[in-house]
């Protein structure tokens, strides 16, 4: 079995965690390569629910767990997450020494910047992700390997202090970070090469979604890392071919947390119903997610950017309760229609979605296979997107999954 990468096709929360847990059986290791504890990956198995922020979602499947260099790692969060799981997880986990660390000062700076932006706030998770990646780019961040020694953090303290964040406690934080990371730090890139050399395979788990990518997403309403599959080789330190085949994950509708343009957003009774049935509240922040219809213009862009040939469609159970189901096939702006998401990026706030209603999924029942309405949706999406629909997900529980 070759490697596989699971990537979000929307603004995150597509159900990647559930799928990674489901697919993990076939792989030896599950690796994260981007983001940090801004992620909230929910896995429900045997009636119990786990939300992972830093640990790869293969944690419940007793797989080897790898956190690659591209991750912004918050050692306090990691310690908390490890404490909430049985001890066996620690022995299966490796954190790359090149991961830059998210400090309590980055979290303060994240909040201060959001307050400063006022009405134009990005709506970050306030987990310090932006400041941590900025400190890395400035070559000031401490990395996992650095805190295992005795790093000089004086220039970092000086920078925080000039930015208005009191850096006292930095040395104490370095010490607790060292304790949290003891026995975990290694070379994930090299470990992946060894797993593959021994005939094993790796499942890569992306955080957030393509439309939140720092370069290719809805900047500045984006996260501070890359969320597309092309970041796997760089974020881990492996050759491009080793990232394996990408599997895109999309909900059958759209959600977004935080600010920024959202062409197919709906408000009122429909969004309230979808939010209630689909439990659309942020797994990290608890915020109510914004709700909208499926957007094929945005999806085609995500399919192209990631070179995705197969997708998984999640949350189909939600549509079983909805009389209405709409799909946006184009954007209308100043009298003309476009299917070019990138071209529309600069006026995404003003475009008007053009909708089709290809099928009603009201009353569709899964359990006994793929109901005819869902089959019709699969055919519609395959022809509209030029991809194969490989997996349908119709509930949070691991077992509520069908492979086509
Ligand atoms: P940050 O990543 O915390 O800086 O937040 C930047 C934007 O990305 C905000 O709109 C967040 O709501 C969004 N975001 C970050 N992580 C996730 C995620 O895991 N799921 C969904 N949205 C996210
Ligand atoms: Mg999430």
């Amino acid at each position: 079995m070759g490697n596989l990468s699971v990537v979000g096709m929307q603004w995150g929360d597509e159900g990647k965690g559930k799928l990674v847990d489901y697919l993990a059986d076939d792989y030896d290791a599950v690796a994260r390569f981007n983001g940090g504890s801004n992620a909230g990956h929910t896995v429900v198995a045997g009636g119990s629910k786990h939300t992972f922020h830093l640990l790869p979602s293969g944690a419940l499947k007793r797989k080897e767990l790898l956190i690659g260099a591209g991750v912004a790692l918050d050692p306090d969060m990691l310690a908390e997450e490890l404490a909430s799981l049985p001890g066996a997880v620690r022995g299966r986990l490796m954190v790359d020494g090149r991961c830059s660390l998210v400090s309590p000062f980055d979290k303060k700076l994240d909040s201060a910047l959001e307050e400063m932006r006022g009405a134009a706030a990005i709506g970050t998770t306030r987990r310090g992700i932006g400041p941590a990646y900025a400190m890395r780019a400035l070559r000031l961040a401490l990395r996992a390997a650095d805190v295992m020694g005795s790093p000089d953090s004086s220039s970092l303290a000086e920078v925080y202090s000039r930015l208005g964040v009191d850096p006292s406690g930095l040395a104490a934080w370095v010490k607790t970070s060292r304790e949290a990371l003891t026995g975990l730090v290694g070379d994930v890139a090299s470990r992946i090469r060894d797993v593959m050399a021994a005939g094993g395979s790796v499942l890569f788990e992306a955080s957030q979604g393509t439309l939140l990518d720092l370069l290719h997403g809805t900047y500045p309403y984006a996260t501070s890392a890359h969320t597309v599959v092309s970041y796997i080789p760089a974020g881990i330190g492996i050759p491009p071919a080793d990232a394996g085949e990408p599997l895109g994950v999309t909900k059958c509708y759209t959600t977004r947390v935080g600010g920024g343009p959202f062409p197919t957003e709906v408000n009122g009774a429909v969004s309230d119903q979808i939010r209630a049935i689909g439990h659309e509240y942020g797994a990290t922040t608890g915020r109510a997610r914004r709700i909208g219809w499926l957007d094929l213009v945005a999806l085609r862009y995500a399919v192209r950017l990631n070179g995705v040939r197969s997708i998984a469609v999640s949350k189909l159970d939600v549509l079983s309760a909805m009389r209405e189901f709409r799909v946006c096939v184009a954007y209308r702006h100043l009298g003309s229609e476009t299917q070019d998401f990138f071209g529309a990026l600069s006026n995404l706030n003003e475009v008007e979605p053009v909708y089709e209603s290809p099928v009603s999924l009201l009353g569709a029942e899964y359990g006994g296979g793929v109901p005819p309405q869902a089959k019709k949706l699969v055919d519609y999406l395959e022809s509209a997107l030029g991809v194969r629909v490989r997996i349908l997900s119709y509930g949070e529980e691991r077992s509520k999954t069908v492979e086509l």
Side-chain angles (χ1 to χ4, degrees), residues 22 58 142 160 203 205 226 263 319 323 360:
Y22 173 82
L142 293 175
Y160 285 124
L203 177 56
E205 174 181 19
H226 301 289
L319 292 186
R323 199 163 292 284
S360 166

Side-chain angles (χ1 to χ4, degrees), residues 1 28 64 190-202:
M1 165 107 23
D28 299 278
E64 185 168 343
S190 164
R191 178 64 201 144
I192 286 179
R193 195 185 49 209
D194 291 348
V195 169
M196 292 176 68
S201 56
V202 183

Side-chain angles (χ1 to χ4, degrees), residues 313-333:
V313 182
S314 67
K315 294 274 187 169
L316 281 158
D317 53 311
V318 175
L319 292 186
S320 296
M322 302 292 300
R323 199 163 292 284
E324 198 183 1
F325 171 53
R326 294 197 198 184
V327 179
C328 167
V329 293
Y331 298 152
R332 192 176 293 124
H333 185 59

Side-chain angles (χ1 to χ4, degrees), residues 104-274:
F105 315 99
D106 293 325
K107 289 184 245 186
K108 284 186 192 152
L109 195 50
D110 196 355
S111 291
L113 288 168
E114 283 289 272
E115 304 296 337
M116 194 187 80
R117 289 185 185 110
I122 293 167
T124 73
T125 58
R126 302 197 178 201
R127 295 294 175 102
I129 302 301
Y133 280 119
M135 291 300 174
R136 169 193 281 180
L138 290 168
R139 289 138 295 172
L140 287 164
L142 293 175
R143 299 167 306 161
D146 298 330
V147 295
M148 299 318 291
S150 310
D152 175 10
S153 52
S154 56
S155 38
L156 189 55
E158 171 81 18
V159 171
Y160 285 124
S161 161
R162 285 180 184 237
L163 291 171
V165 174
D166 176 8
S168 56
L170 187 57
W173 171 76
V174 168
K175 187 165 170 283
T176 55
S177 300
R178 183 184 309 129
E179 284 158 15
L181 293 171
T182 295
L184 300 179
V185 178
D187 180 351
V188 165
S190 164
R191 178 64 201 144
I192 286 179
R193 195 185 49 209
D194 291 348
V195 169
M196 292 176 68
S201 56
V202 183
L203 177 56
F204 297 100
E205 174 181 19
S207 301
Q208 294 82 44
T210 295
L211 305 178
L212 286 171
D213 185 272
L214 181 61
L215 271 177
H216 303 286
T218 48
Y219 183 92
Y221 296 94
T223 188
S224 297
H226 301 289
T227 56
V228 287
V229 288
S230 45
Y231 189 56
I232 297 173
I236 301 261
I238 51 172
D242 289 352
E245 183 71 18
L247 172 71
V249 188
T250 177
K251 274 177 184 162
C252 51
Y253 51 94
T254 312
T255 61
R256 163 157 220 181
V257 206
F262 186 176
T264 62
E265 183 167 20
V266 287
N267 284 297
V270 167
S271 65
D272 292 346
Q273 198 184 354
I274 292 180

